[in-house]
Amino acid sequence: MSSLIAWILRAIPFGTIIMYGALGETLTEKSGNLNLGVPGIMYLGGFAGFASAYYYEKLSANPSAFVCVILALLCALIASALGGLIYAFLTITLRANQNVTGLALTTFGMGVANFFGVFILNGASYTAAPLAYKAFSAMIPVLSGLGVVGKVLFSYGFLAYAAIVLAVVLHWFFPRPRAGLNLRAVGETPATADAAGINVTLYKYVATCTGAAICGVGGLYYVLDYNQGIWATTGQIEALGWLAVALVIFTTWKPLNAIWGAYLFGVLYWLYQFLPSLLGITVASYMTDLIQMLPYVVTIVVLIVVSLRKKKENQPPEHVRTEPVSQTAPQQQRRPAGRRCMYISILPGEQVEVALTNNGVLEEYYLDMLHQKKIKGADWHFTEGQRRRGTFPPARAHARHRSR
């Protein structure tokens, strides 16, 4: 029983690290950007948070745990968001290749963190920020003392619970508010979203930088909680960053799946250490690395199954699957003002019929809005990057597509 509890206590913090990375990458990919720089961004967030906490403890005569937490979080968010901004500028503004840019960002983030980390280590193999570790790993009072239940459920730092809340918020955000629907439209068909009046560039920049900031929190959690407030140039954050990218595929781009998927990855990762003692068997040392491959093997299996089923809800955004050529509608393809319209309405029995939009693209964006009854029936006039909505008379409860 004690081995099983210890297994869970190791798996949940491990899963929390990659959950932050997966949630941040999911948000980025929903905007149509595939950021493979997650490991480097997590490195930047972890180092910036640790460095700020370390120097605050070192230079302050009477350091405060609360100030230490706030300072570390702010520095981690800013540093990782700047990493995301570099990626966004190169891929969105300069239209550099996303894969090459992401890989370069991983190398850049690791190099920057390790270079400046040398000045903190000052020749030592590692250094620590004990006050920050105590603050970030503080358990929930009272509840953490409720026997086995308290130990399993309430004996983690506040960032472990914040990750679950963040996953729930993103699950609500993508399909419901207008901003979430706009983001999905940008990720699926940016040219059509631009014709509908959505600022494609702004959405991509905000989603990429915000997603990078979330990834950075995962690096911060690794250093100041999971690794007991110790900074060492071991390269472990990079491995966890790639595991976070694999988790995005495993969860089929669904934030809620990231919760149980991250913990499952944690259980599988630590399988080599705890399963033999539970079963009373001995595992050869050379089997350890093979067992630690299980999360990646499971991801490959899930990817194969998802590809065979070919369900759209289990696929990445369309703009991630193909390298973008243009994120705004070409001038000659935009509809002249007052010329062509798209009529949308909900038929009796809640059946949905939608006419063809700009260039014959049928947008999931509008379908979602109709299903949620945010519009009961609308006449969408596409102008030069703008839209105007009117409503149908009750007698015209059907869809039409025509030119005026």
Side-chain angles (χ1 to χ4, degrees), residues 4-68:
L4 180 59
I5 294 175
W7 192 358
I8 296 174
L9 292 178
R10 293 295 288 178
I12 290 181
F14 182 92
T16 300
I17 301 169
I18 60 176
M19 191 191 308
Y20 275 111
L23 292 175
E25 178 63 9
T26 299
L27 178 60
T28 300
E29 292 193 17
K30 286 292 185 179
S31 70
N33 288 335
L34 175 61
N35 187 359
L36 295 179
V38 172
I41 291 174
M42 291 178 68
Y43 243 107
L44 289 174
F47 174 76
F50 172 81
S52 60
Y54 172 80
Y55 280 113
Y56 172 71
E57 293 182 29
K58 183 179 179 180
L59 301 177
S60 178
N62 187 23
S64 167
F66 177 77
V67 174
C68 190

Side-chain angles (χ1 to χ4, degrees), residues 160-234:
Y161 305 101
I164 298 175
V165 174
L166 178 62
V168 174
V169 170
L170 289 179
H171 172 74
W172 168 85
F173 173 75
F174 289 138
R176 299 188 181 280
R178 178 67 64 86
L181 293 172
N182 287 349
L183 180 65
R184 292 173 59 190
V186 167
E188 291 291 341
T189 49
T192 308
D194 178 69
I198 301 172
N199 192 332
V200 174
T201 301
L202 177 62
Y203 271 90
K204 282 181 171 289
Y205 263 90
V206 172
T208 302
C209 293
T210 304
I214 295 173
C215 293
V217 176
L220 174 70
Y221 181 81
Y222 170 82
V223 177
L224 293 183
D225 190 331
Y226 183 82
N227 207 37
Q228 301 179 355
I230 296 174
W231 174 261
T233 56
T234 58

Side-chain angles (χ1 to χ4, degrees), residues 258-337:
I259 299 175
W260 63 266
Y263 297 152
L264 176 62
F265 273 30
V267 169
L268 294 175
Y269 185 85
W270 289 105
L271 183 68
Y272 75 96
Q273 183 172 339
F274 295 99
L275 187 61
S277 61
L278 287 174
L279 299 179
I281 60 176
T282 302
V283 177
S285 58
Y286 63 85
M287 293 293 295
T288 299
D289 292 335
L290 291 177
I291 296 176
Q292 287 181 320
M293 289 171 53
L294 280 176
Y296 300 98
V297 174
V298 172
T299 301
I300 293 173
V301 172
V302 170
L303 183 60
I304 294 173
V305 172
V306 168
S307 300
L308 291 176
R309 295 176 66 183
K310 294 182 179 180
K311 287 188 176 181
K312 182 173 178 56
E313 61 269 20
N314 293 333
Q315 300 295 329
E318 180 67 29
H319 213 48
V320 172
R321 298 198 291 270
T322 56
E323 183 69 22
V325 177
S326 175
Q327 58 193 29
T328 56
Q331 189 69 25
Q332 65 270 20
Q333 293 181 356
R334 292 186 180 179
R335 301 186 184 282

